């Protein structure tokens, strides 16, 4: 008998917040996005849903502190 394989699936919700212009102590939800795939391409995080790219976010890569 051959080895059986199970496909792993997931769904991720990303929520982004921005400062409220009228209240410095408050954040407002600006976007919620569902994705079933995540890839990194060059300097971007790319979110996918049902095989289509739905969002692309620039990654600000900072060097890690020395230990």
């Amino acid at each position: 008998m051959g080895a059986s394989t199970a496909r792993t699936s997931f769904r991720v919700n990303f929520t982004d917040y921005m400062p409220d212009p009228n209240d410095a102590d408050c954040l407002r939800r600006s976007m919620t996005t569902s994705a079933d795939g995540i890839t990194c391409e060059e300097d971007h995080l790319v979110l996918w849903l049902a095989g289509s790219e739905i969002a692309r976010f620039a990654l600000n890569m900072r060097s890690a502190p020395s230990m």
Side-chain angles (χ1 to χ4, degrees):
M1 259 190 211
S4 63
T5 59
R7 183 178 174 135
T8 302
S9 63
F10 63 93
R11 177 155 292 193
V12 180
N13 290 321
F14 290 88
T15 303
D16 194 12
Y17 293 89
M18 59 186 226
D20 186 325
N22 300 316
D23 185 354
D25 294 330
C26 182
L27 293 175
R28 290 186 178 201
R29 184 176 64 198
S30 61
M31 175 179 72
T32 299
T33 303
S34 295
D36 60 11
I38 303 169
T39 59
C40 292
E41 296 178 7
E42 296 178 7
D43 58 348
H44 288 85
L45 175 76
V46 183
L47 303 179
W48 300 84
L49 184 61
S52 297
E53 182 179 325
I54 56 167
R56 181 177 289 255
F57 299 95
L59 296 173
N60 294 327
M61 302 301 276
R62 298 180 184 163
S63 58
S66 300
M67 296 206 173

CSV table of all heavy atoms in Angstrom, one decimal:
chain,number,residue,atom,x,y,z
A,1,MET,N,0.8,-1.2,0.0
A,1,MET,CA,0.0,0.0,0.0
A,1,MET,C,0.9,1.2,0.0
A,1,MET,O,1.9,1.3,0.6
A,1,MET,CB,-0.8,0.0,1.3
A,1,MET,CG,-2.2,-0.4,1.0
A,1,MET,SD,-3.2,-0.1,2.5
A,1,MET,CE,-4.3,-1.4,2.3
A,2,GLY,N,0.4,2.2,-0.7
A,2,GLY,CA,1.1,3.5,-0.7
A,2,GLY,C,0.9,4.3,0.5
A,2,GLY,O,-0.1,4.1,1.2
A,3,ALA,N,1.7,5.3,0.8
A,3,ALA,CA,1.6,6.1,1.9
A,3,ALA,C,0.4,7.1,1.7
A,3,ALA,O,0.3,7.7,0.6
A,3,ALA,CB,2.9,6.9,2.3
A,4,SER,N,-0.4,7.4,2.6
A,4,SER,CA,-1.5,8.3,2.5
A,4,SER,C,-1.0,9.7,2.8
A,4,SER,O,-0.1,9.9,3.7
A,4,SER,CB,-2.7,8.0,3.3
A,4,SER,OG,-2.3,8.0,4.7
A,5,THR,N,-1.5,10.7,2.2
A,5,THR,CA,-1.1,12.1,2.5
A,5,THR,C,-2.4,12.9,2.8
A,5,THR,O,-3.5,12.6,2.2
A,5,THR,CB,-0.4,12.7,1.3
A,5,THR,OG1,-1.3,12.7,0.1
A,5,THR,CG2,0.9,12.0,1.0
A,6,ALA,N,-2.3,13.8,3.6
A,6,ALA,CA,-3.4,14.7,3.9
A,6,ALA,C,-3.0,16.1,3.6
A,6,ALA,O,-1.9,16.6,4.0
A,6,ALA,CB,-3.7,14.6,5.4
A,7,ARG,N,-3.9,16.8,2.9
A,7,ARG,CA,-3.6,18.2,2.5
A,7,ARG,C,-4.0,19.1,3.7
A,7,ARG,O,-5.1,18.9,4.2
A,7,ARG,CB,-4.4,18.6,1.3
A,7,ARG,CG,-4.1,20.0,0.9
A,7,ARG,CD,-4.9,20.3,-0.4
A,7,ARG,NE,-4.7,21.7,-0.7
A,7,ARG,CZ,-4.4,22.1,-1.9
A,7,ARG,NH1,-4.4,21.3,-2.9
A,7,ARG,NH2,-4.3,23.4,-2.1
A,8,THR,N,-3.1,19.9,4.1
A,8,THR,CA,-3.4,20.8,5.2
A,8,THR,C,-4.0,22.1,4.6
A,8,THR,O,-3.5,22.7,3.7
A,8,THR,CB,-2.1,21.2,6.0
A,8,THR,OG1,-1.5,19.9,6.4
A,8,THR,CG2,-2.3,22.1,7.1
A,9,SER,N,-5.0,22.6,5.3
A,9,SER,CA,-5.6,23.9,4.8
A,9,SER,C,-5.7,24.8,6.0
A,9,SER,O,-5.7,24.4,7.1
A,9,SER,CB,-7.0,23.6,4.2
A,9,SER,OG,-7.9,23.1,5.1
A,10,PHE,N,-5.8,26.1,5.7
A,10,PHE,CA,-5.9,27.1,6.7
A,10,PHE,C,-6.5,28.3,6.1
A,10,PHE,O,-6.6,28.5,4.9
A,10,PHE,CB,-4.5,27.5,7.3
A,10,PHE,CG,-3.6,28.1,6.2
A,10,PHE,CD1,-3.5,29.4,6.0
A,10,PHE,CD2,-2.8,27.2,5.4
A,10,PHE,CE1,-2.7,30.0,5.1
A,10,PHE,CE2,-1.9,27.8,4.5
A,10,PHE,CZ,-1.9,29.2,4.3
A,11,ARG,N,-7.0,29.1,6.9
A,11,ARG,CA,-7.6,30.4,6.5
A,11,ARG,C,-7.1,31.4,7.6
A,11,ARG,O,-7.3,31.2,8.7
A,11,ARG,CB,-9.1,30.4,6.4
A,11,ARG,CG,-9.6,31.8,6.1
A,11,ARG,CD,-10.9,31.8,5.4
A,11,ARG,NE,-10.7,31.2,4.1
A,11,ARG,CZ,-11.7,31.3,3.2
A,11,ARG,NH1,-12.8,31.9,3.4
A,11,ARG,NH2,-11.5,30.7,2.0
A,12,VAL,N,-6.6,32.5,7.1
A,12,VAL,CA,-6.0,33.5,8.0
A,12,VAL,C,-6.8,34.8,7.7
A,12,VAL,O,-7.0,35.2,6.6
A,12,VAL,CB,-4.5,33.7,7.7
A,12,VAL,CG1,-3.9,34.8,8.6
A,12,VAL,CG2,-3.8,32.4,7.9
A,13,ASN,N,-7.1,35.5,8.8
A,13,ASN,CA,-7.7,36.9,8.7
A,13,ASN,C,-6.6,37.9,9.2
A,13,ASN,O,-6.1,37.7,10.3
A,13,ASN,CB,-8.9,37.0,9.5
A,13,ASN,CG,-10.1,36.2,8.9
A,13,ASN,OD1,-10.2,36.2,7.7
A,13,ASN,ND2,-10.8,35.6,9.8
A,14,PHE,N,-6.3,38.8,8.4
A,14,PHE,CA,-5.4,39.9,8.7
A,14,PHE,C,-6.2,41.2,9.0
A,14,PHE,O,-7.1,41.5,8.2
A,14,PHE,CB,-4.4,40.2,7.6
A,14,PHE,CG,-3.4,39.1,7.4
A,14,PHE,CD1,-3.7,38.0,6.6
A,14,PHE,CD2,-2.2,39.2,8.1
A,14,PHE,CE1,-2.7,37.0,6.4
A,14,PHE,CE2,-1.3,38.2,7.9
A,14,PHE,CZ,-1.5,37.1,7.1
A,15,THR,N,-6.0,41.8,10.1
A,15,THR,CA,-6.7,43.1,10.4
A,15,THR,C,-5.6,44.2,10.6
A,15,THR,O,-4.7,44.0,11.3
A,15,THR,CB,-7.5,42.9,11.6
A,15,THR,OG1,-8.5,41.9,11.4
A,15,THR,CG2,-8.3,44.2,11.9
A,16,ASP,N,-5.8,45.2,9.8
A,16,ASP,CA,-4.8,46.4,9.9
A,16,ASP,C,-5.5,47.5,10.6
A,16,ASP,O,-6.7,47.8,10.3
A,16,ASP,CB,-4.4,46.7,8.5
A,16,ASP,CG,-3.2,47.7,8.5
A,16,ASP,OD1,-2.5,47.8,9.6
A,16,ASP,OD2,-2.9,48.2,7.5
A,17,TYR,N,-4.8,48.2,11.4
A,17,TYR,CA,-5.4,49.4,12.2
A,17,TYR,C,-4.6,50.6,11.9
A,17,TYR,O,-3.4,50.5,11.5
A,17,TYR,CB,-5.3,49.1,13.7
A,17,TYR,CG,-6.2,48.0,14.1
A,17,TYR,CD1,-5.8,46.7,14.2
A,17,TYR,CD2,-7.6,48.3,14.5
A,17,TYR,CE1,-6.6,45.7,14.6
A,17,TYR,CE2,-8.4,47.2,14.9
A,17,TYR,CZ,-7.9,46.0,14.9
A,17,TYR,OH,-8.7,44.9,15.3
A,18,MET,N,-5.2,51.8,11.9
A,18,MET,CA,-4.5,53.1,11.7
A,18,MET,C,-5.0,54.0,12.8
A,18,MET,O,-6.1,53.9,13.4
A,18,MET,CB,-4.9,53.6,10.4
A,18,MET,CG,-6.3,53.9,10.1
A,18,MET,SD,-6.6,54.4,8.4
A,18,MET,CE,-7.6,55.8,8.7
A,19,PRO,N,-4.1,55.0,13.2
A,19,PRO,CA,-4.5,55.9,14.2
A,19,PRO,C,-5.7,56.7,13.8
A,19,PRO,O,-5.9,57.1,12.7
A,19,PRO,CB,-3.3,56.8,14.4
A,19,PRO,CG,-2.2,56.1,13.7
A,19,PRO,CD,-2.8,55.2,12.7
A,20,ASP,N,-6.6,57.0,14.8
A,20,ASP,CA,-7.7,57.8,14.6
A,20,ASP,C,-7.2,59.3,14.5
A,20,ASP,O,-6.6,59.7,15.4
A,20,ASP,CB,-8.7,57.7,15.7
A,20,ASP,CG,-10.0,58.4,15.5
A,20,ASP,OD1,-10.0,59.5,15.0
A,20,ASP,OD2,-11.1,57.9,16.0
A,21,PRO,N,-7.5,60.0,13.5
A,21,PRO,CA,-7.0,61.4,13.4
A,21,PRO,C,-7.6,62.3,14.4
A,21,PRO,O,-7.0,63.4,14.7
A,21,PRO,CB,-7.5,61.8,12.0
A,21,PRO,CG,-8.5,60.9,11.6
A,21,PRO,CD,-8.3,59.6,12.3
A,22,ASN,N,-8.7,62.0,15.0
A,22,ASN,CA,-9.4,62.8,16.0
A,22,ASN,C,-9.1,62.4,17.5
A,22,ASN,O,-9.5,63.1,18.4
A,22,ASN,CB,-10.9,62.8,15.8
A,22,ASN,CG,-11.3,63.3,14.4
A,22,ASN,OD1,-10.7,64.3,14.0
A,22,ASN,ND2,-12.2,62.6,13.8
A,23,ASP,N,-8.4,61.3,17.7
A,23,ASP,CA,-8.1,60.8,19.0
A,23,ASP,C,-6.8,60.0,19.0
A,23,ASP,O,-6.8,58.8,18.5
A,23,ASP,CB,-9.3,59.9,19.5
A,23,ASP,CG,-9.1,59.5,20.9
A,23,ASP,OD1,-8.1,59.7,21.5
A,23,ASP,OD2,-10.1,58.9,21.5
A,24,ALA,N,-5.8,60.5,19.5
A,24,ALA,CA,-4.5,59.9,19.5
A,24,ALA,C,-4.4,58.6,20.3
A,24,ALA,O,-3.5,57.7,20.0
A,24,ALA,CB,-3.4,60.8,20.0
A,25,ASP,N,-5.3,58.4,21.2
A,25,ASP,CA,-5.3,57.1,22.0
A,25,ASP,C,-6.2,56.0,21.4
A,25,ASP,O,-6.4,55.0,22.0
A,25,ASP,CB,-5.9,57.4,23.4
A,25,ASP,CG,-4.9,58.3,24.2
A,25,ASP,OD1,-3.7,58.3,23.9
A,25,ASP,OD2,-5.4,59.1,25.0
A,26,CYS,N,-6.7,56.2,20.2
A,26,CYS,CA,-7.6,55.3,19.6
A,26,CYS,C,-7.1,54.8,18.2
A,26,CYS,O,-6.5,55.6,17.5
A,26,CYS,CB,-9.0,56.0,19.4
A,26,CYS,SG,-10.3,54.9,18.7
A,27,LEU,N,-7.3,53.5,17.9
A,27,LEU,CA,-7.0,53.0,16.6
A,27,LEU,C,-8.3,52.6,15.9
A,27,LEU,O,-9.2,52.1,16.6
A,27,LEU,CB,-6.1,51.7,16.7
A,27,LEU,CG,-4.7,52.0,17.3
A,27,LEU,CD1,-4.0,50.6,17.4
A,27,LEU,CD2,-3.9,52.8,16.3
A,28,ARG,N,-8.4,52.8,14.6
A,28,ARG,CA,-9.5,52.4,13.9
A,28,ARG,C,-9.1,51.2,12.9
A,28,ARG,O,-8.1,51.2,12.4
A,28,ARG,CB,-10.0,53.5,13.0
A,28,ARG,CG,-10.6,54.6,13.8
A,28,ARG,CD,-11.2,55.6,12.8
A,28,ARG,NE,-11.9,56.7,13.6
A,28,ARG,CZ,-12.8,57.5,13.1
A,28,ARG,NH1,-13.1,57.4,11.8
A,28,ARG,NH2,-13.3,58.4,13.8
A,29,ARG,N,-10.0,50.3,12.8
A,29,ARG,CA,-9.8,49.2,11.9
A,29,ARG,C,-9.9,49.7,10.5
A,29,ARG,O,-10.9,50.3,10.1
A,29,ARG,CB,-10.8,48.1,12.1
A,29,ARG,CG,-10.5,46.9,11.2
A,29,ARG,CD,-11.4,45.7,11.5
A,29,ARG,NE,-12.8,46.1,11.1
A,29,ARG,CZ,-13.9,45.5,11.5
A,29,ARG,NH1,-13.7,44.4,12.3
A,29,ARG,NH2,-15.0,45.8,11.2
A,30,SER,N,-8.9,49.5,9.7
A,30,SER,CA,-8.9,50.0,8.3
A,30,SER,C,-9.2,48.9,7.3
A,30,SER,O,-9.7,49.2,6.2
A,30,SER,CB,-7.6,50.7,8.0
A,30,SER,OG,-6.5,49.8,8.0
A,31,MET,N,-8.9,47.7,7.6
A,31,MET,CA,-9.1,46.6,6.6
A,31,MET,C,-9.0,45.3,7.3
A,31,MET,O,-8.2,45.0,8.2
A,31,MET,CB,-8.0,46.7,5.6
A,31,MET,CG,-8.0,45.6,4.6
A,31,MET,SD,-6.7,45.8,3.3
A,31,MET,CE,-5.3,45.4,4.3
A,32,THR,N,-9.9,44.4,6.9
A,32,THR,CA,-9.8,43.0,7.3
A,32,THR,C,-9.8,42.1,6.0
A,32,THR,O,-10.6,42.3,5.2
A,32,THR,CB,-10.9,42.5,8.2
A,32,THR,OG1,-10.9,43.3,9.4
A,32,THR,CG2,-10.8,41.1,8.6
A,33,THR,N,-8.8,41.3,5.9
A,33,THR,CA,-8.6,40.5,4.7
A,33,THR,C,-8.5,39.0,5.0
A,33,THR,O,-7.8,38.7,5.9
A,33,THR,CB,-7.3,40.9,3.9
A,33,THR,OG1,-7.4,42.3,3.7
A,33,THR,CG2,-7.1,40.2,2.6
A,34,SER,N,-9.2,38.2,4.3
A,34,SER,CA,-9.1,36.7,4.5
A,34,SER,C,-8.1,36.2,3.4
A,34,SER,O,-8.1,36.7,2.3
A,34,SER,CB,-10.4,36.0,4.3
A,34,SER,OG,-11.3,36.4,5.3
A,35,ALA,N,-7.3,35.2,3.8
A,35,ALA,CA,-6.4,34.6,2.8
A,35,ALA,C,-6.3,33.1,3.1
A,35,ALA,O,-6.4,32.7,4.2
A,35,ALA,CB,-5.0,35.3,2.9
A,36,ASP,N,-6.1,32.3,2.0
A,36,ASP,CA,-5.8,30.9,2.2
A,36,ASP,C,-4.4,30.5,1.7
A,36,ASP,O,-4.0,29.4,1.7
A,36,ASP,CB,-6.9,30.1,1.5
A,36,ASP,CG,-7.0,30.3,0.0
A,36,ASP,OD1,-6.1,30.9,-0.6
A,36,ASP,OD2,-8.0,29.8,-0.6
A,37,GLY,N,-3.6,31.5,1.4
A,37,GLY,CA,-2.2,31.3,1.0
A,37,GLY,C,-1.4,32.6,1.3
A,37,GLY,O,-1.9,33.7,1.2
A,38,ILE,N,-0.2,32.3,1.6
A,38,ILE,CA,0.8,33.5,1.9
A,38,ILE,C,2.1,33.1,1.2
A,38,ILE,O,2.6,32.0,1.3
A,38,ILE,CB,1.0,33.6,3.4
A,38,ILE,CG1,-0.3,33.8,4.2
A,38,ILE,CG2,2.0,34.7,3.7
A,38,ILE,CD1,-0.1,33.7,5.7
A,39,THR,N,2.6,34.1,0.5
A,39,THR,CA,3.9,34.0,-0.1
A,39,THR,C,4.7,35.2,0.2
A,39,THR,O,4.2,36.3,0.4
A,39,THR,CB,3.9,33.7,-1.6
A,39,THR,OG1,3.2,34.8,-2.3
A,39,THR,CG2,3.2,32.4,-2.0
A,40,CYS,N,6.0,35.1,0.1
A,40,CYS,CA,6.9,36.3,0.2
A,40,CYS,C,7.6,36.4,-1.2
A,40,CYS,O,8.2,35.4,-1.7
A,40,CYS,CB,8.0,36.1,1.3
A,40,CYS,SG,7.2,36.1,2.9
A,41,GLU,N,7.5,37.5,-1.8
A,41,GLU,CA,8.1,37.8,-3.1
A,41,GLU,C,8.9,39.1,-3.0
A,41,GLU,O,8.4,40.1,-2.7
A,41,GLU,CB,7.0,37.9,-4.2
A,41,GLU,CG,6.2,36.7,-4.4
A,41,GLU,CD,5.2,36.8,-5.4
A,41,GLU,OE1,5.1,37.8,-6.1
A,41,GLU,OE2,4.4,35.8,-5.6
A,42,GLU,N,10.2,38.9,-3.1
A,42,GLU,CA,11.2,40.0,-3.0
A,42,GLU,C,11.0,40.7,-1.7
A,42,GLU,O,11.2,40.2,-0.6
A,42,GLU,CB,11.1,40.9,-4.2
A,42,GLU,CG,11.5,40.3,-5.5
A,42,GLU,CD,11.4,41.2,-6.7
A,42,GLU,OE1,11.1,42.4,-6.5
A,42,GLU,OE2,11.5,40.7,-7.8
A,43,ASP,N,10.4,41.9,-1.7
A,43,ASP,CA,10.3,42.7,-0.4
A,43,ASP,C,8.8,42.9,-0.1
A,43,ASP,O,8.4,43.8,0.5
A,43,ASP,CB,11.0,44.0,-0.5
A,43,ASP,CG,10.5,44.9,-1.7
A,43,ASP,OD1,9.8,44.3,-2.5
A,43,ASP,OD2,10.8,46.1,-1.7
A,44,HIS,N,7.9,41.9,-0.5
A,44,HIS,CA,6.5,42.0,-0.2
A,44,HIS,C,6.0,40.7,0.3
A,44,HIS,O,6.4,39.6,0.0
A,44,HIS,CB,5.7,42.3,-1.5
A,44,HIS,CG,5.9,43.7,-2.0
A,44,HIS,ND1,7.0,44.0,-2.8
A,44,HIS,CD2,5.2,44.8,-1.8
A,44,HIS,CE1,6.9,45.3,-3.1
A,44,HIS,NE2,5.8,45.8,-2.5
A,45,LEU,N,5.0,40.8,1.2
A,45,LEU,CA,4.2,39.7,1.7
A,45,LEU,C,2.9,39.7,0.8
A,45,LEU,O,2.2,40.7,0.7
A,45,LEU,CB,3.8,39.9,3.1
A,45,LEU,CG,2.8,38.8,3.7
A,45,LEU,CD1,3.6,37.5,4.0
A,45,LEU,CD2,2.2,39.3,4.9
A,46,VAL,N,2.6,38.5,0.2
A,46,VAL,CA,1.5,38.5,-0.8
A,46,VAL,C,0.5,37.5,-0.2
A,46,VAL,O,0.8,36.4,0.2
A,46,VAL,CB,2.0,38.0,-2.2
A,46,VAL,CG1,0.8,37.9,-3.1
A,46,VAL,CG2,3.1,38.8,-2.7
A,47,LEU,N,-0.8,37.9,-0.2
A,47,LEU,CA,-1.9,37.1,0.3
A,47,LEU,C,-2.7,36.6,-0.9
A,47,LEU,O,-3.0,37.4,-1.8
A,47,LEU,CB,-2.8,38.0,1.2
A,47,LEU,CG,-2.1,38.6,2.5
A,47,LEU,CD1,-3.2,39.4,3.3
A,47,LEU,CD2,-1.5,37.6,3.3
A,48,TRP,N,-3.1,35.4,-0.8
A,48,TRP,CA,-3.9,34.7,-1.9
A,48,TRP,C,-5.2,34.2,-1.3
A,48,TRP,O,-5.3,33.7,-0.2
A,48,TRP,CB,-3.0,33.6,-2.4
A,48,TRP,CG,-1.7,34.0,-3.0
A,48,TRP,CD1,-0.6,34.2,-2.3
A,48,TRP,CD2,-1.4,34.3,-4.3
A,48,TRP,NE1,0.4,34.6,-3.1
A,48,TRP,CE2,-0.1,34.6,-4.4
A,48,TRP,CE3,-2.2,34.3,-5.5
A,48,TRP,CZ2,0.6,35.0,-5.6
A,48,TRP,CZ3,-1.5,34.6,-6.7
A,48,TRP,CH2,-0.2,35.0,-6.7
A,49,LEU,N,-6.2,34.2,-2.2
A,49,LEU,CA,-7.5,33.6,-1.8
A,49,LEU,C,-8.0,32.9,-3.1
A,49,LEU,O,-8.2,33.5,-4.1
A,49,LEU,CB,-8.5,34.6,-1.3
A,49,LEU,CG,-9.8,34.1,-0.9
A,49,LEU,CD1,-9.7,33.1,0.3
A,49,LEU,CD2,-10.8,35.2,-0.5
A,50,ALA,N,-8.2,31.6,-3.0
A,50,ALA,CA,-8.8,30.8,-4.1
A,50,ALA,C,-7.9,30.9,-5.4
A,50,ALA,O,-8.4,31.0,-6.5
A,50,ALA,CB,-10.2,31.1,-4.4
A,51,GLY,N,-6.6,31.0,-5.2
A,51,GLY,CA,-5.7,31.1,-6.3
A,51,GLY,C,-5.4,32.4,-6.9
A,51,GLY,O,-4.7,32.6,-7.9
A,52,SER,N,-6.1,33.5,-6.4
A,52,SER,CA,-5.9,34.8,-6.9
A,52,SER,C,-5.2,35.7,-5.8
A,52,SER,O,-5.5,35.6,-4.6
A,52,SER,CB,-7.2,35.5,-7.2
A,52,SER,OG,-7.9,34.8,-8.3
A,53,GLU,N,-4.3,36.6,-6.3
A,53,GLU,CA,-3.6,37.5,-5.4
A,53,GLU,C,-4.7,38.6,-4.9
A,53,GLU,O,-5.3,39.1,-5.8
A,53,GLU,CB,-2.5,38.2,-6.1
A,53,GLU,CG,-1.7,39.2,-5.2
A,53,GLU,CD,-0.6,39.8,-5.9
A,53,GLU,OE1,0.1,39.2,-6.7
A,53,GLU,OE2,-0.3,41.0,-5.6
A,54,ILE,N,-4.8,38.7,-3.6
A,54,ILE,CA,-5.8,39.7,-3.1
A,54,ILE,C,-5.2,40.9,-2.4
A,54,ILE,O,-5.8,41.9,-2.3
A,54,ILE,CB,-6.8,39.0,-2.2
A,54,ILE,CG1,-6.1,38.4,-1.0
A,54,ILE,CG2,-7.7,38.1,-2.9
A,54,ILE,CD1,-7.0,37.9,0.1
A,55,ALA,N,-3.9,40.8,-2.0
A,55,ALA,CA,-3.3,41.9,-1.3
A,55,ALA,C,-1.8,41.7,-1.3
A,55,ALA,O,-1.3,40.6,-1.4
A,55,ALA,CB,-3.8,42.0,0.1
A,56,ARG,N,-1.1,42.8,-1.3
A,56,ARG,CA,0.4,42.8,-1.3
A,56,ARG,C,0.8,43.9,-0.3
A,56,ARG,O,0.4,45.0,-0.4
A,56,ARG,CB,0.9,43.1,-2.7
A,56,ARG,CG,2.4,43.1,-2.9
A,56,ARG,CD,2.8,43.3,-4.3
A,56,ARG,NE,2.4,42.1,-5.1
A,56,ARG,CZ,3.3,41.2,-5.5
A,56,ARG,NH1,4.6,41.4,-5.3
A,56,ARG,NH2,3.0,40.2,-6.2
A,57,PHE,N,1.7,43.5,0.6
A,57,PHE,CA,2.2,44.5,1.6
A,57,PHE,C,3.7,44.5,1.6
A,57,PHE,O,4.4,43.5,1.5
A,57,PHE,CB,1.7,44.0,3.0
A,57,PHE,CG,0.3,43.9,3.2
A,57,PHE,CD1,-0.4,42.7,3.0
A,57,PHE,CD2,-0.5,45.1,3.5
A,57,PHE,CE1,-1.8,42.7,3.2
A,57,PHE,CE2,-1.8,45.0,3.7
A,57,PHE,CZ,-2.5,43.8,3.5
A,58,ALA,N,4.2,45.7,1.6
A,58,ALA,CA,5.7,45.9,1.6
A,58,ALA,C,6.2,45.5,3.0
A,58,ALA,O,5.6,45.7,4.0
A,58,ALA,CB,6.0,47.4,1.4
A,59,LEU,N,7.3,44.7,3.0
A,59,LEU,CA,7.9,44.3,4.2
A,59,LEU,C,9.1,45.3,4.5
A,59,LEU,O,9.9,45.5,3.7
A,59,LEU,CB,8.5,42.9,4.0
A,59,LEU,CG,7.5,41.8,3.8
A,59,LEU,CD1,8.2,40.5,3.5
A,59,LEU,CD2,6.6,41.7,5.0
A,60,ASN,N,9.0,45.8,5.7
A,60,ASN,CA,10.1,46.7,6.1
A,60,ASN,C,11.1,45.8,6.9
A,60,ASN,O,10.9,45.6,8.1
A,60,ASN,CB,9.6,47.9,7.0
A,60,ASN,CG,8.7,48.8,6.2
A,60,ASN,OD1,9.0,49.0,5.0
A,60,ASN,ND2,7.7,49.3,6.8
A,61,MET,N,12.1,45.3,6.3
A,61,MET,CA,13.0,44.4,6.9
A,61,MET,C,14.1,45.3,7.7
A,61,MET,O,14.7,46.2,7.1
A,61,MET,CB,13.8,43.6,5.9
A,61,MET,CG,12.8,42.7,5.1
A,61,MET,SD,11.8,41.6,6.1
A,61,MET,CE,12.9,40.3,6.3
A,62,ARG,N,14.2,45.0,9.0
A,62,ARG,CA,15.1,45.7,9.8
A,62,ARG,C,16.1,44.6,10.3
A,62,ARG,O,15.7,43.5,10.6
A,62,ARG,CB,14.5,46.3,11.0
A,62,ARG,CG,13.5,47.4,10.5
A,62,ARG,CD,12.9,48.1,11.7
A,62,ARG,NE,11.9,49.1,11.2
A,62,ARG,CZ,11.0,49.6,12.0
A,62,ARG,NH1,10.8,49.2,13.2
A,62,ARG,NH2,10.2,50.5,11.5
A,63,SER,N,17.3,45.0,10.5
A,63,SER,CA,18.3,44.0,11.0
A,63,SER,C,17.9,43.7,12.4
A,63,SER,O,17.6,44.5,13.2
A,63,SER,CB,19.7,44.5,10.8
A,63,SER,OG,19.8,45.7,11.5
A,64,ALA,N,18.1,42.4,12.8
A,64,ALA,CA,17.9,41.9,14.1
A,64,ALA,C,19.0,42.5,15.1
A,64,ALA,O,20.1,42.6,14.6
A,64,ALA,CB,17.8,40.4,14.2
A,65,PRO,N,18.6,42.8,16.3
A,65,PRO,CA,19.7,43.2,17.2
A,65,PRO,C,20.7,42.2,17.5
A,65,PRO,O,20.4,41.0,17.5
A,65,PRO,CB,18.9,43.6,18.5
A,65,PRO,CG,17.6,42.9,18.3
A,65,PRO,CD,17.3,42.7,16.9
A,66,SER,N,21.9,42.6,17.7
A,66,SER,CA,23.0,41.6,18.0
A,66,SER,C,22.7,41.0,19.4
A,66,SER,O,22.3,41.7,20.3
A,66,SER,CB,24.3,42.3,18.0
A,66,SER,OG,24.5,42.9,16.7
A,67,MET,N,23.1,39.7,19.5
A,67,MET,CA,22.9,39.1,20.8
A,67,MET,C,24.2,38.7,21.4
A,67,MET,O,25.2,38.5,20.8
A,67,MET,CB,22.1,37.8,20.6
A,67,MET,CG,20.7,38.1,20.2
A,67,MET,SD,19.7,36.8,20.7
A,67,MET,CE,18.1,37.4,20.3
